[in-house]
Amino acid sequence: ETTLLALLLTAAFLAFERRALRSLSLLSAALVLTRPEGGFAVLILFLFAVLSRLRRRPGSNTEGLLLAFRVPGLALVAVLLLRLMIFGSAFSPALVSALDPDQYQPRLGLAYPRSFLVGTGTPLLLVFPLVFLLLGKLRGVGRRSLLLCLAWAAQAVWLGGDDRPFWLAMLPILPLLFVAIQEGMITAIDTMRSSMLGLTWVALLAAMVVSVFASKLPGNIGPIPCARLQTAWTMPEGLMEQEYRRPLGRSGLFWEIQDTERLRSIGVFLRDRVHRRASILTPWPGAIGYLSRKRVIDLRGRCTPPPGDTG
């Protein structure tokens, strides 16, 4: 549902900017129902609506903008009640983790956006909206998209990021991140300075080259031996290296695919060759659990609560 979340979030933001109130209402409700993080994004949009109401201008339909959040509010209440009835707790696991983080979660989360920025070349372009935001020259749509991206990154940090090679926790906000970058670059070009225009094009081309190099396999560029440099660049560092010992980017994705193929084969073997009433103890409960059709117990206790623990 990650790509669906990205689509709904982008569409809801555009509906907010265009004051398409009915679409905003329905898309925000869909966001709440898709993932708990969607509710967080809807809350940020609601805060934008409140600020717009406080600074309302003649002819702006701020009252209708606030009323558009009634349906997502009802959807949120319905989700909380359903969770309470089915699971005995109204809060999602992500919210429980956010309210009671362990000591390593925020520290690991701080390494997550840093690896995202360094590994994708985005900092070369993020300079534009950040600088013009501080100067007070960034337009409203660029300012709101950038603030929403920063808020999303903050919640990803607090939740500890994720353990996937392509920074999936940041994927839903990528379209709005590029909206903010576009607005910053337009503002830079509108300064009517030839040096700024040249700097904008240089930064854009440099970011494209960096992003290609980060995902190119094999890493060598023709006769130029770059594979070792690429591997050193895409390997996580510090606390993140302890939690995730694989390369980031496309190299890490290939590792994930190979592991999944092996686990699928193991799951099919256990399904066909092991007695149907057998229980399987494994540190890899995912694919094995789906395909073996046996009772699977997580060796590390990530999926199965330990004795006496109802969490």
Side-chain angles (χ1 to χ4, degrees), residues 164-228:
R164 294 294 180 266
F166 261 118
W167 302 280
L168 283 185
M170 300 299 294
L171 188 150
I173 209 65
L174 276 183
L176 298 186
L177 181 64
F178 288 115
V179 168
I181 290 173
Q182 172 186 276
E183 291 296 317
M185 296 177 72
I186 290 175
T187 304
I189 294 174
D190 286 345
T191 56
M192 302 301 292
R193 297 178 182 175
S194 57
S195 58
M196 185 61 71
L197 178 61
L199 177 62
T200 302
W201 278 108
V202 169
L204 178 60
L205 292 175
M208 292 172 61
V209 170
V210 170
S211 64
V212 169
F213 181 67
S215 61
K216 182 183 180 300
L217 286 178
N220 293 333
I221 302 177
I224 305 176
C226 300
R228 183 177 299 180

Short mmCIF file of all heavy atoms in Angstrom, two decimals, residues 164-228:
data_model
loop_
_atom_site.label_atom_id
_atom_site.label_comp_id
_atom_site.label_asym_id
_atom_site.label_seq_id
_atom_site.Cartn_x
_atom_site.Cartn_y
_atom_site.Cartn_z
N ARG A 164 14.57 -1.31 4.66
CA ARG A 164 14.51 -1.63 3.25
C ARG A 164 15.55 -0.78 2.49
O ARG A 164 15.85 0.34 2.89
CB ARG A 164 13.12 -1.38 2.69
CG ARG A 164 12.06 -2.31 3.26
CD ARG A 164 12.33 -3.75 2.83
NE ARG A 164 11.34 -4.68 3.35
CZ ARG A 164 11.50 -5.36 4.47
NH1 ARG A 164 12.58 -5.19 5.19
NH2 ARG A 164 10.57 -6.21 4.88
N PRO A 165 16.09 -1.29 1.39
CA PRO A 165 17.20 -0.62 0.72
C PRO A 165 16.81 0.67 0.00
O PRO A 165 17.67 1.48 -0.29
CB PRO A 165 17.70 -1.67 -0.28
CG PRO A 165 16.52 -2.53 -0.54
CD PRO A 165 15.77 -2.59 0.75
N PHE A 166 15.52 0.87 -0.31
CA PHE A 166 15.14 2.04 -1.09
C PHE A 166 14.37 3.07 -0.27
O PHE A 166 13.54 3.79 -0.80
CB PHE A 166 14.31 1.62 -2.32
CG PHE A 166 15.14 1.56 -3.57
CD1 PHE A 166 15.30 0.37 -4.26
CD2 PHE A 166 15.77 2.69 -4.06
CE1 PHE A 166 16.06 0.32 -5.42
CE2 PHE A 166 16.54 2.65 -5.20
CZ PHE A 166 16.68 1.47 -5.89
N TRP A 167 14.59 3.11 1.03
CA TRP A 167 14.01 4.13 1.90
C TRP A 167 12.48 4.24 1.71
O TRP A 167 11.95 5.31 1.42
CB TRP A 167 14.66 5.49 1.63
CG TRP A 167 16.14 5.49 1.81
CD1 TRP A 167 16.81 5.57 2.98
CD2 TRP A 167 17.14 5.40 0.80
NE1 TRP A 167 18.17 5.53 2.77
CE2 TRP A 167 18.40 5.43 1.43
CE3 TRP A 167 17.09 5.30 -0.60
CZ2 TRP A 167 19.59 5.36 0.73
CZ3 TRP A 167 18.28 5.23 -1.28
CH2 TRP A 167 19.51 5.27 -0.63
N LEU A 168 11.78 3.11 1.90
CA LEU A 168 10.34 3.09 1.66
C LEU A 168 9.58 4.03 2.57
O LEU A 168 8.51 4.51 2.21
CB LEU A 168 9.81 1.66 1.84
CG LEU A 168 10.08 0.69 0.69
CD1 LEU A 168 9.39 -0.64 0.97
CD2 LEU A 168 9.61 1.25 -0.63
N ALA A 169 10.10 4.31 3.75
CA ALA A 169 9.42 5.22 4.65
C ALA A 169 9.32 6.63 4.07
O ALA A 169 8.43 7.40 4.43
CB ALA A 169 10.12 5.27 6.01
N MET A 170 10.24 6.97 3.15
CA MET A 170 10.23 8.30 2.54
C MET A 170 9.52 8.33 1.20
O MET A 170 9.26 9.40 0.65
CB MET A 170 11.67 8.78 2.35
CG MET A 170 12.46 8.91 3.63
SD MET A 170 11.76 10.09 4.79
CE MET A 170 11.99 11.61 3.87
N LEU A 171 9.20 7.15 0.66
CA LEU A 171 8.60 7.09 -0.68
C LEU A 171 7.30 7.88 -0.80
O LEU A 171 7.11 8.60 -1.79
CB LEU A 171 8.39 5.64 -1.09
CG LEU A 171 7.95 5.37 -2.53
CD1 LEU A 171 8.49 4.02 -3.00
CD2 LEU A 171 6.45 5.39 -2.70
N PRO A 172 6.35 7.79 0.15
CA PRO A 172 5.07 8.50 -0.04
C PRO A 172 5.20 10.01 -0.20
O PRO A 172 4.33 10.64 -0.80
CB PRO A 172 4.28 8.13 1.23
CG PRO A 172 4.86 6.84 1.68
CD PRO A 172 6.31 6.94 1.36
N ILE A 173 6.28 10.58 0.33
CA ILE A 173 6.41 12.03 0.30
C ILE A 173 7.26 12.52 -0.88
O ILE A 173 7.39 13.73 -1.11
CB ILE A 173 7.03 12.52 1.63
CG1 ILE A 173 6.53 13.93 1.96
CG2 ILE A 173 8.54 12.45 1.61
CD1 ILE A 173 5.07 14.01 2.22
N LEU A 174 7.83 11.59 -1.67
CA LEU A 174 8.73 12.00 -2.75
C LEU A 174 8.08 12.96 -3.76
O LEU A 174 8.71 13.94 -4.15
CB LEU A 174 9.27 10.77 -3.48
CG LEU A 174 10.49 10.09 -2.85
CD1 LEU A 174 10.95 8.94 -3.73
CD2 LEU A 174 11.62 11.08 -2.65
N PRO A 175 6.85 12.70 -4.24
CA PRO A 175 6.27 13.65 -5.20
C PRO A 175 6.18 15.07 -4.65
O PRO A 175 6.47 16.04 -5.38
CB PRO A 175 4.87 13.07 -5.48
CG PRO A 175 5.01 11.62 -5.19
CD PRO A 175 5.95 11.54 -4.04
N LEU A 176 5.81 15.21 -3.39
CA LEU A 176 5.71 16.55 -2.80
C LEU A 176 7.10 17.14 -2.55
O LEU A 176 7.26 18.37 -2.58
CB LEU A 176 4.92 16.50 -1.50
CG LEU A 176 3.47 16.02 -1.65
CD1 LEU A 176 2.73 16.15 -0.33
CD2 LEU A 176 2.73 16.82 -2.73
N LEU A 177 8.08 16.29 -2.31
CA LEU A 177 9.44 16.79 -2.18
C LEU A 177 9.90 17.45 -3.47
O LEU A 177 10.53 18.52 -3.46
CB LEU A 177 10.37 15.64 -1.80
CG LEU A 177 11.85 15.99 -1.60
CD1 LEU A 177 12.02 16.95 -0.43
CD2 LEU A 177 12.67 14.72 -1.39
N PHE A 178 9.56 16.83 -4.60
CA PHE A 178 9.94 17.41 -5.89
C PHE A 178 9.10 18.63 -6.24
O PHE A 178 9.56 19.50 -6.99
CB PHE A 178 9.86 16.35 -6.98
CG PHE A 178 10.94 15.32 -6.88
CD1 PHE A 178 10.64 13.99 -6.61
CD2 PHE A 178 12.27 15.67 -7.02
CE1 PHE A 178 11.65 13.05 -6.50
CE2 PHE A 178 13.28 14.73 -6.91
CZ PHE A 178 12.97 13.41 -6.65
N VAL A 179 7.88 18.71 -5.71
CA VAL A 179 7.10 19.94 -5.86
C VAL A 179 7.82 21.09 -5.16
O VAL A 179 7.95 22.20 -5.70
CB VAL A 179 5.68 19.77 -5.30
CG1 VAL A 179 4.96 21.11 -5.20
CG2 VAL A 179 4.86 18.83 -6.19
N ALA A 180 8.30 20.83 -3.94
CA ALA A 180 9.02 21.87 -3.20
C ALA A 180 10.31 22.26 -3.92
O ALA A 180 10.66 23.45 -4.01
CB ALA A 180 9.33 21.37 -1.78
N ILE A 181 11.03 21.27 -4.44
CA ILE A 181 12.26 21.56 -5.18
C ILE A 181 11.96 22.37 -6.42
O ILE A 181 12.67 23.34 -6.75
CB ILE A 181 12.98 20.24 -5.54
CG1 ILE A 181 13.55 19.59 -4.27
CG2 ILE A 181 14.09 20.48 -6.54
CD1 ILE A 181 14.12 18.21 -4.49
N GLN A 182 10.90 22.00 -7.14
CA GLN A 182 10.52 22.76 -8.34
C GLN A 182 10.20 24.20 -8.00
O GLN A 182 10.66 25.13 -8.70
CB GLN A 182 9.30 22.10 -8.97
CG GLN A 182 8.69 22.91 -10.11
CD GLN A 182 7.40 22.29 -10.60
OE1 GLN A 182 7.42 21.39 -11.41
NE2 GLN A 182 6.27 22.77 -10.10
N GLU A 183 9.45 24.42 -6.92
CA GLU A 183 9.12 25.79 -6.53
C GLU A 183 10.36 26.58 -6.15
O GLU A 183 10.48 27.77 -6.46
CB GLU A 183 8.12 25.77 -5.37
CG GLU A 183 6.74 25.27 -5.74
CD GLU A 183 6.06 26.18 -6.75
OE1 GLU A 183 6.14 27.41 -6.59
OE2 GLU A 183 5.45 25.66 -7.70
N GLY A 184 11.30 25.92 -5.47
CA GLY A 184 12.54 26.60 -5.12
C GLY A 184 13.36 26.96 -6.33
O GLY A 184 13.93 28.07 -6.41
N MET A 185 13.43 26.07 -7.32
CA MET A 185 14.19 26.35 -8.53
C MET A 185 13.52 27.44 -9.36
O MET A 185 14.21 28.29 -9.95
CB MET A 185 14.35 25.07 -9.34
CG MET A 185 15.17 24.00 -8.63
SD MET A 185 15.29 22.45 -9.54
CE MET A 185 16.37 22.93 -10.87
N ILE A 186 12.20 27.44 -9.42
CA ILE A 186 11.49 28.50 -10.14
C ILE A 186 11.76 29.85 -9.50
O ILE A 186 12.00 30.86 -10.18
CB ILE A 186 9.98 28.21 -10.18
CG1 ILE A 186 9.70 27.02 -11.09
CG2 ILE A 186 9.20 29.43 -10.65
CD1 ILE A 186 8.26 26.58 -11.09
N THR A 187 11.74 29.87 -8.16
CA THR A 187 12.04 31.12 -7.45
C THR A 187 13.46 31.58 -7.74
O THR A 187 13.72 32.78 -7.91
CB THR A 187 11.84 30.93 -5.94
OG1 THR A 187 10.52 30.45 -5.68
CG2 THR A 187 12.04 32.24 -5.19
N ALA A 188 14.39 30.61 -7.80
CA ALA A 188 15.78 30.97 -8.10
C ALA A 188 15.91 31.55 -9.50
O ALA A 188 16.60 32.56 -9.71
CB ALA A 188 16.68 29.75 -7.94
N ILE A 189 15.23 30.94 -10.48
CA ILE A 189 15.31 31.42 -11.85
C ILE A 189 14.63 32.79 -12.00
O ILE A 189 15.09 33.65 -12.76
CB ILE A 189 14.68 30.40 -12.80
CG1 ILE A 189 15.53 29.12 -12.81
CG2 ILE A 189 14.57 30.94 -14.22
CD1 ILE A 189 14.92 27.99 -13.60
N ASP A 190 13.56 33.01 -11.23
CA ASP A 190 12.84 34.27 -11.31
C ASP A 190 13.61 35.45 -10.73
O ASP A 190 13.15 36.60 -10.82
CB ASP A 190 11.48 34.15 -10.59
CG ASP A 190 10.49 33.33 -11.40
OD1 ASP A 190 10.74 33.11 -12.60
OD2 ASP A 190 9.47 32.90 -10.82
N THR A 191 14.75 35.18 -10.09
CA THR A 191 15.55 36.29 -9.59
C THR A 191 16.18 37.09 -10.73
O THR A 191 16.73 38.17 -10.50
CB THR A 191 16.68 35.78 -8.67
OG1 THR A 191 17.47 34.82 -9.39
CG2 THR A 191 16.10 35.13 -7.42
N MET A 192 16.12 36.50 -11.96
CA MET A 192 16.59 37.19 -13.17
C MET A 192 18.09 37.45 -13.14
O MET A 192 18.58 38.40 -13.71
CB MET A 192 15.84 38.52 -13.36
CG MET A 192 14.32 38.37 -13.46
SD MET A 192 13.82 37.31 -14.84
CE MET A 192 14.31 38.33 -16.22
N ARG A 193 18.82 36.59 -12.46
CA ARG A 193 20.27 36.69 -12.45
C ARG A 193 20.84 35.54 -13.28
O ARG A 193 20.52 34.38 -13.05
CB ARG A 193 20.82 36.63 -11.03
CG ARG A 193 20.36 37.78 -10.15
CD ARG A 193 20.90 37.63 -8.75
NE ARG A 193 20.44 38.70 -7.88
CZ ARG A 193 20.69 38.76 -6.56
NH1 ARG A 193 21.39 37.78 -6.01
NH2 ARG A 193 20.23 39.75 -5.84
N SER A 194 21.69 35.87 -14.22
CA SER A 194 22.24 34.83 -15.10
C SER A 194 23.05 33.82 -14.31
O SER A 194 23.05 32.62 -14.63
CB SER A 194 23.11 35.48 -16.17
OG SER A 194 24.16 36.26 -15.58
N SER A 195 23.74 34.25 -13.26
CA SER A 195 24.53 33.31 -12.46
C SER A 195 23.62 32.32 -11.74
O SER A 195 23.95 31.14 -11.61
CB SER A 195 25.37 34.09 -11.44
OG SER A 195 24.54 34.88 -10.60
N MET A 196 22.47 32.79 -11.27
CA MET A 196 21.54 31.89 -10.58
C MET A 196 20.95 30.87 -11.55
O MET A 196 20.75 29.71 -11.19
CB MET A 196 20.43 32.70 -9.92
CG MET A 196 19.45 31.87 -9.07
SD MET A 196 20.27 31.03 -7.71
CE MET A 196 20.65 32.44 -6.64
N LEU A 197 20.68 31.29 -12.78
CA LEU A 197 20.16 30.37 -13.79
C LEU A 197 21.19 29.28 -14.08
O LEU A 197 20.85 28.09 -14.15
CB LEU A 197 19.80 31.13 -15.06
CG LEU A 197 19.28 30.29 -16.22
CD1 LEU A 197 17.99 29.57 -15.83
CD2 LEU A 197 19.05 31.17 -17.46
N GLY A 198 22.43 29.66 -14.23
CA GLY A 198 23.48 28.67 -14.48
C GLY A 198 23.67 27.73 -13.30
O GLY A 198 23.84 26.52 -13.48
N LEU A 199 23.63 28.28 -12.09
CA LEU A 199 23.78 27.46 -10.89
C LEU A 199 22.64 26.45 -10.79
O LEU A 199 22.85 25.30 -10.39
CB LEU A 199 23.81 28.35 -9.65
CG LEU A 199 23.90 27.64 -8.30
CD1 LEU A 199 25.20 26.84 -8.21
CD2 LEU A 199 23.81 28.65 -7.16
N THR A 200 21.43 26.85 -11.16
CA THR A 200 20.27 25.95 -11.10
C THR A 200 20.46 24.77 -12.05
O THR A 200 20.22 23.61 -11.68
CB THR A 200 18.99 26.72 -11.46
OG1 THR A 200 18.82 27.82 -10.57
CG2 THR A 200 17.77 25.82 -11.37
N TRP A 201 20.91 25.04 -13.26
CA TRP A 201 21.12 23.96 -14.22
C TRP A 201 22.26 23.04 -13.80
O TRP A 201 22.17 21.81 -13.97
CB TRP A 201 21.40 24.55 -15.61
CG TRP A 201 20.15 24.93 -16.34
CD1 TRP A 201 19.70 26.19 -16.60
CD2 TRP A 201 19.19 24.03 -16.91
NE1 TRP A 201 18.51 26.14 -17.29
CE2 TRP A 201 18.18 24.83 -17.50
CE3 TRP A 201 19.08 22.65 -16.97
CZ2 TRP A 201 17.08 24.27 -18.14
CZ3 TRP A 201 17.98 22.08 -17.60
CH2 TRP A 201 17.00 22.89 -18.19
N VAL A 202 23.32 23.60 -13.24
CA VAL A 202 24.44 22.78 -12.78
C VAL A 202 24.00 21.86 -11.65
O VAL A 202 24.33 20.67 -11.63
CB VAL A 202 25.60 23.69 -12.33
CG1 VAL A 202 26.66 22.87 -11.59
CG2 VAL A 202 26.23 24.39 -13.52
N ALA A 203 23.23 22.40 -10.71
CA ALA A 203 22.75 21.58 -9.59
C ALA A 203 21.82 20.47 -10.07
O ALA A 203 21.88 19.34 -9.58
CB ALA A 203 22.03 22.47 -8.57
N LEU A 204 20.96 20.79 -11.03
CA LEU A 204 20.03 19.79 -11.57
C LEU A 204 20.79 18.65 -12.26
O LEU A 204 20.52 17.47 -12.02
CB LEU A 204 19.06 20.44 -12.53
CG LEU A 204 18.04 19.52 -13.22
CD1 LEU A 204 17.17 18.83 -12.19
CD2 LEU A 204 17.20 20.30 -14.22
N LEU A 205 21.74 19.00 -13.11
CA LEU A 205 22.52 17.98 -13.81
C LEU A 205 23.36 17.16 -12.84
O LEU A 205 23.49 15.93 -12.98
CB LEU A 205 23.41 18.64 -14.86
CG LEU A 205 22.67 19.29 -16.04
CD1 LEU A 205 23.66 20.03 -16.95
CD2 LEU A 205 21.89 18.25 -16.83
N ALA A 206 23.95 17.82 -11.82
CA ALA A 206 24.75 17.09 -10.84
C ALA A 206 23.90 16.11 -10.05
O ALA A 206 24.32 14.97 -9.80
CB ALA A 206 25.43 18.08 -9.89
N ALA A 207 22.68 16.52 -9.67
CA ALA A 207 21.79 15.62 -8.94
C ALA A 207 21.39 14.43 -9.79
O ALA A 207 21.30 13.29 -9.30
CB ALA A 207 20.55 16.38 -8.47
N MET A 208 21.19 14.64 -11.09
CA MET A 208 20.84 13.54 -11.99
C MET A 208 22.00 12.55 -12.10
O MET A 208 21.79 11.33 -12.06
CB MET A 208 20.47 14.09 -13.36
CG MET A 208 19.17 14.89 -13.38
SD MET A 208 18.88 15.72 -14.96
CE MET A 208 18.79 14.32 -16.07
N VAL A 209 23.22 13.06 -12.22
CA VAL A 209 24.38 12.18 -12.33
C VAL A 209 24.56 11.37 -11.05
O VAL A 209 24.82 10.16 -11.09
CB VAL A 209 25.64 13.01 -12.63
CG1 VAL A 209 26.90 12.15 -12.51
CG2 VAL A 209 25.56 13.63 -14.02
N VAL A 210 24.41 12.03 -9.91
CA VAL A 210 24.57 11.34 -8.63
C VAL A 210 23.52 10.25 -8.47
O VAL A 210 23.81 9.13 -8.02
CB VAL A 210 24.49 12.35 -7.47
CG1 VAL A 210 24.40 11.62 -6.12
CG2 VAL A 210 25.70 13.25 -7.47
N SER A 211 22.26 10.53 -8.82
CA SER A 211 21.20 9.54 -8.68
C SER A 211 21.42 8.35 -9.60
O SER A 211 21.14 7.19 -9.23
CB SER A 211 19.84 10.18 -8.96
OG SER A 211 19.76 10.63 -10.31
N VAL A 212 21.92 8.60 -10.81
CA VAL A 212 22.22 7.50 -11.73
C VAL A 212 23.36 6.64 -11.18
O VAL A 212 23.30 5.41 -11.20
CB VAL A 212 22.57 8.05 -13.13
CG1 VAL A 212 23.15 6.94 -14.00
CG2 VAL A 212 21.34 8.64 -13.79
N PHE A 213 24.39 7.27 -10.69
CA PHE A 213 25.53 6.53 -10.15
C PHE A 213 25.14 5.69 -8.94
O PHE A 213 25.65 4.59 -8.73
CB PHE A 213 26.66 7.50 -9.78
CG PHE A 213 27.88 6.83 -9.23
CD1 PHE A 213 28.66 6.01 -10.03
CD2 PHE A 213 28.24 6.99 -7.91
CE1 PHE A 213 29.79 5.39 -9.52
CE2 PHE A 213 29.37 6.38 -7.39
CZ PHE A 213 30.14 5.57 -8.21
N ALA A 214 24.19 6.21 -8.13
CA ALA A 214 23.77 5.48 -6.92
C ALA A 214 23.03 4.20 -7.26
O ALA A 214 23.06 3.24 -6.49
CB ALA A 214 22.89 6.38 -6.06
N SER A 215 22.34 4.16 -8.41
CA SER A 215 21.52 3.00 -8.73
C SER A 215 22.06 2.17 -9.89
O SER A 215 21.45 1.17 -10.26
CB SER A 215 20.10 3.47 -9.09
OG SER A 215 20.12 4.32 -10.22
N LYS A 216 23.19 2.58 -10.49
CA LYS A 216 23.71 1.88 -11.66
C LYS A 216 24.37 0.56 -11.25
O LYS A 216 25.15 0.50 -10.30
CB LYS A 216 24.73 2.75 -12.39
CG LYS A 216 25.28 2.10 -13.66
CD LYS A 216 26.33 2.98 -14.29
CE LYS A 216 26.88 2.35 -15.56
NZ LYS A 216 27.51 1.03 -15.30
N LEU A 217 24.02 -0.50 -11.96
CA LEU A 217 24.67 -1.79 -11.79
C LEU A 217 24.98 -2.39 -13.16
O LEU A 217 24.10 -2.38 -14.04
CB LEU A 217 23.78 -2.75 -11.00
CG LEU A 217 23.65 -2.49 -9.51
CD1 LEU A 217 22.71 -3.50 -8.88
CD2 LEU A 217 25.00 -2.54 -8.82
N PRO A 218 26.22 -2.87 -13.36
CA PRO A 218 27.34 -2.83 -12.41
C PRO A 218 27.86 -1.41 -12.20
O PRO A 218 27.59 -0.52 -12.99
CB PRO A 218 28.39 -3.70 -13.10
CG PRO A 218 28.07 -3.57 -14.56
CD PRO A 218 26.57 -3.48 -14.65
N GLY A 219 28.59 -1.23 -11.10
CA GLY A 219 29.01 0.12 -10.71
C GLY A 219 30.05 0.74 -11.62
O GLY A 219 30.16 1.97 -11.68
N ASN A 220 30.81 -0.05 -12.33
CA ASN A 220 31.84 0.49 -13.22
C ASN A 220 31.21 1.23 -14.38
O ASN A 220 30.20 0.80 -14.95
CB ASN A 220 32.74 -0.62 -13.74
CG ASN A 220 33.58 -1.23 -12.64
OD1 ASN A 220 33.88 -0.57 -11.65
ND2 ASN A 220 33.94 -2.49 -12.80
N ILE A 221 31.80 2.35 -14.76
CA ILE A 221 31.34 3.13 -15.91
C ILE A 221 32.32 2.90 -17.04
O ILE A 221 33.37 3.56 -17.14
CB ILE A 221 31.24 4.63 -15.57
CG1 ILE A 221 30.30 4.83 -14.38
CG2 ILE A 221 30.75 5.42 -16.78
CD1 ILE A 221 30.20 6.26 -13.92
N GLY A 222 32.01 1.93 -17.90
CA GLY A 222 32.93 1.59 -18.97
C GLY A 222 34.25 1.12 -18.39
O GLY A 222 34.29 0.24 -17.52
N PRO A 223 35.36 1.71 -18.84
CA PRO A 223 36.67 1.31 -18.31
C PRO A 223 37.00 1.95 -16.96
O PRO A 223 38.04 1.64 -16.37
CB PRO A 223 37.63 1.81 -19.40
CG PRO A 223 36.94 3.00 -19.98
CD PRO A 223 35.46 2.70 -19.93
N ILE A 224 36.15 2.85 -16.48
CA ILE A 224 36.42 3.55 -15.21
C ILE A 224 35.97 2.67 -14.05
O ILE A 224 34.77 2.36 -13.93
CB ILE A 224 35.70 4.90 -15.17
CG1 ILE A 224 36.07 5.75 -16.38
CG2 ILE A 224 36.03 5.63 -13.87
CD1 ILE A 224 35.33 7.06 -16.46
N PRO A 225 36.87 2.21 -13.16
CA PRO A 225 36.50 1.33 -12.06
C PRO A 225 35.84 2.11 -10.91
O PRO A 225 36.52 2.70 -10.06
CB PRO A 225 37.84 0.73 -11.62
CG PRO A 225 38.85 1.77 -12.00
CD PRO A 225 38.32 2.47 -13.22
N CYS A 226 34.52 2.10 -10.87
CA CYS A 226 33.78 2.86 -9.86
C CYS A 226 33.01 1.96 -8.90
O CYS A 226 32.37 2.46 -7.97
CB CYS A 226 32.80 3.81 -10.52
SG CYS A 226 33.55 5.03 -11.61
N ALA A 227 33.03 0.64 -9.13
CA ALA A 227 32.21 -0.26 -8.32
C ALA A 227 32.58 -0.20 -6.85
O ALA A 227 31.72 -0.18 -5.97
CB ALA A 227 32.32 -1.69 -8.85
N ARG A 228 33.90 -0.17 -6.56
CA ARG A 228 34.34 -0.13 -5.17
C ARG A 228 33.91 1.17 -4.49
O ARG A 228 33.45 1.17 -3.34
CB ARG A 228 35.85 -0.28 -5.09
CG ARG A 228 36.41 -0.34 -3.67
CD ARG A 228 37.90 -0.57 -3.67
NE ARG A 228 38.22 -1.86 -4.29
CZ ARG A 228 39.46 -2.30 -4.43
NH1 ARG A 228 40.49 -1.57 -4.00
NH2 ARG A 228 39.69 -3.47 -4.99
#
